[in-house]
Amino acid sequence: DQQVKQNSPSLSVQEGRISILNCDYTNSMFDYFLWYKKYPAEGPTFLISISSIKDKNEDGRFTVFLNKSAKHLSLHIVPSQPGDSAVYFCAASGLYGSEKLVFGKGTKLTVNP
Amino acid sequence: GAGVSQTPSNKVTEKGKYVELRCDPISGHTALYWYRQSLGQGPEFLIYFQGTGAADDSGLPNDRFFAVRPEGSVSTLKIQRTERGDSAVYLCASSLAGGGNTEAFFGQGTRLTVV
């Protein structure tokens, strides 16, 4: 059973608008959440993260929100740019002290000029 | 280069053969991870090294899979008696000290195709 879920396989937005990518998790014992971005034929690259003790983290155009009661996090990209077009993976870590990352299936974001 | 390097970038092998996939982590990174990504899925954890030792190998699917990191730097993932279901992109990542809150840097992956 998937512990980290990204229910939208794809998302298309216009350049300049906001992109919102969603992620749900099932286990409240995760203590750290990360977003990775992946271009074709490349490995994932770290984007932004948030600790479970926080509800928001911002880095430039990227903001991650965490709602622990709903076991939900989201990544906001404002304003979206064509270069943001990629697959975005949500990941969680720290379950029972584990070092491993548990990834969702990813959401393919397309930003149209 | 300064990033995580994986070789080969592509590997085609026949069912039943043995393969080795190599990962060269970022210099100074003590933590090294192997993940496997199948089509349409997110990366799936295989094994985690802290230094030379495998701290967590709970993701290895069966005993055909084995990984080593003898000197605490380069790691090799070894797959025996390959099966068509082993076809995937194998990703290696490294981080400074491990810890789920430490940024992991990924290589570009090795695409393994078993025919």
Side-chain angles (χ1 to χ4, degrees):
Chain A
D1 194 26
Q2 273 215 296
Q3 297 188 74
V4 177
K5 300 177 185 178
Q6 294 177 258
N7 292 318
S8 297
S10 63
L11 175 67
S12 184
V13 300
Q14 283 300 120
E15 181 177 6
R17 306 296 288 268
I18 185 171
S19 296
I20 300 177
L21 298 119
N22 294 302
C23 178
D24 297 293
Y25 58 96
T26 58
N27 197 317
S28 59
M29 298 302 291
F30 284 122
D31 63 13
Y32 211 72
F33 302 92
L34 308 91
W35 285 93
Y36 278 80
K37 174 179 175 180
K38 186 180 183 303
Y39 293 116
E42 294 184 12
T45 55
F46 172 78
L47 196 56
I48 192 170
S49 62
I50 187 167
S51 164
S52 61
I53 62 172
K54 296 188 174 182
D55 54 20
K56 178 182 174 181
N57 188 26
E58 191 172 353
D59 183 2
R61 297 186 296 115
F62 303 92
T63 304
V64 56
F65 296 92
L66 176 63
N67 182 334
K68 286 187 291 294
S69 61
K71 298 194 186 70
H72 177 84
L73 65 156
S74 60
L75 174 68
H76 292 211
I77 307 174
V78 182
S80 301
Q81 299 174 353
D84 296 330
S85 298
V87 177
Y88 288 77
F89 290 100
C90 171
S93 70
L95 190 60
Y96 308 118
S98 172
E99 308 286 352
K100 67 184 183 187
L101 294 173
V102 181
F103 284 87
K105 290 187 177 183
T107 296
K108 183 176 181 180
L109 174 66
T110 302
V111 180
N112 301 302
Chain B
V4 177
S5 176
Q6 290 187 247
T7 54
S9 52
N10 280 285
K11 175 72 176 177
V12 180
T13 191
E14 291 182 347
K15 180 175 176 293
K17 299 288 188 184
Y18 167 82
V19 295
E20 289 190 353
L21 312 179
R22 176 188 167 109
C23 173
D24 226 312
I26 293 171
S27 177
H29 281 193
T30 61
L32 185 146
Y33 309 79
W34 283 98
Y35 288 82
R36 175 169 73 172
Q37 186 176 13
S38 302
L39 197 62
Q41 304 294 316
E44 181 186 20
F45 171 79
L46 295 176
I47 187 170
Y48 159 60
F49 287 91
Q50 183 57 254
T52 60
D56 183 356
D57 65 357
S58 63
L60 295 177
N62 51 60
D63 61 6
R64 295 187 298 106
F65 289 75
F66 190 70
V68 295
R69 195 186 185 198
E71 297 177 359
S73 177
V74 170
S75 176
T76 305
L77 178 66
K78 308 180 181 195
I79 311 174
Q80 297 178 320
R81 305 183 304 280
T82 51
E83 299 177 356
R84 292 198 178 89
D86 298 335
S87 297
V89 175
Y90 288 81
L91 294 162
C92 176
S94 70
S95 65
L96 260 178
N101 60 349
T102 306
E103 179 184 348
F105 296 82
F106 282 82
Q108 84 284 4
T110 294
R111 181 176 295 280
L112 176 66
T113 304
V114 182
V115 297

